[in-house]
């Protein structure tokens, strides 16, 4: 399974750390140990659905725990029924420098 998670906290951070709440979400992904890629407008994560689904919730809640007053989280999900599930690398590798 591959998901792209975009957290849109309000505000995105605090005066001393402009993106504190967004970075709290990314830190949650990093702690998961899953394959991930941080992009300019979201973070893509790949892994077993039984691990990824709870992570989506945890990432969302990390923004709130870090002090965001409000939050919208946008999630895109790719999941294949077959054995040949795509990976981040198989979908984007030819576009990387």
């Amino acid at each position: 399974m591959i998901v792209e998670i975009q957290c849109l906290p309000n505000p995105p951070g605090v005066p001393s750390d402009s993106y504190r709440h967004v970075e709290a979400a990314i830190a949650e992904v990093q702690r998961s140990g899953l394959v991930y890629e941080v992009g300019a407008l979201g973070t893509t994560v790949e892994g077993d659905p039984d691990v990824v689904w709870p992570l989506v919730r945890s990432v969302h809640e990390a923004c709130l725990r870090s002090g965001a007053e409000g939050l919208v989280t946008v999630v895109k999900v790719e999941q294949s029924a077959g054995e040949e599930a795509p990976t981040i690398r198989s979908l984007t590798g030819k576009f990387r420098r």
Side-chain angles (χ1 to χ4, degrees):
M1 163 183 261
I2 299 174
V3 298
E4 182 180 64
I5 308 167
Q6 180 186 30
C7 293
L8 302 165
N10 181 25
V14 296
S16 62
D17 188 354
S18 299
Y19 294 100
R20 173 190 282 174
H21 311 315
V22 173
E23 290 173 3
I26 294 169
E28 196 73 16
V29 171
Q30 291 172 320
R31 280 191 293 275
S32 76
L34 296 175
V35 173
Y36 71 94
E37 191 172 281
V38 175
L41 299 175
T43 299
T44 306
V45 181
E46 135 188 341
D48 183 89
D50 290 336
V51 178
V52 173
W53 282 119
L55 177 63
V56 169
R57 179 178 181 174
S58 182
V59 166
H60 175 85
E61 291 175 347
C63 286
L64 296 172
R65 283 193 308 272
S66 73
E69 296 172 21
L71 173 64
V72 172
T73 298
V74 179
V75 180
K76 294 182 203 175
V77 178
E78 192 295 327
Q79 186 174 4
S80 298
E83 292 180 25
E84 291 291 323
T87 63
I88 295 170
R89 184 181 200 122
S90 72
L91 294 174
T92 63
K94 70 181 182 181
F95 302 105
R96 302 290 179 228
R97 295 187 233 175

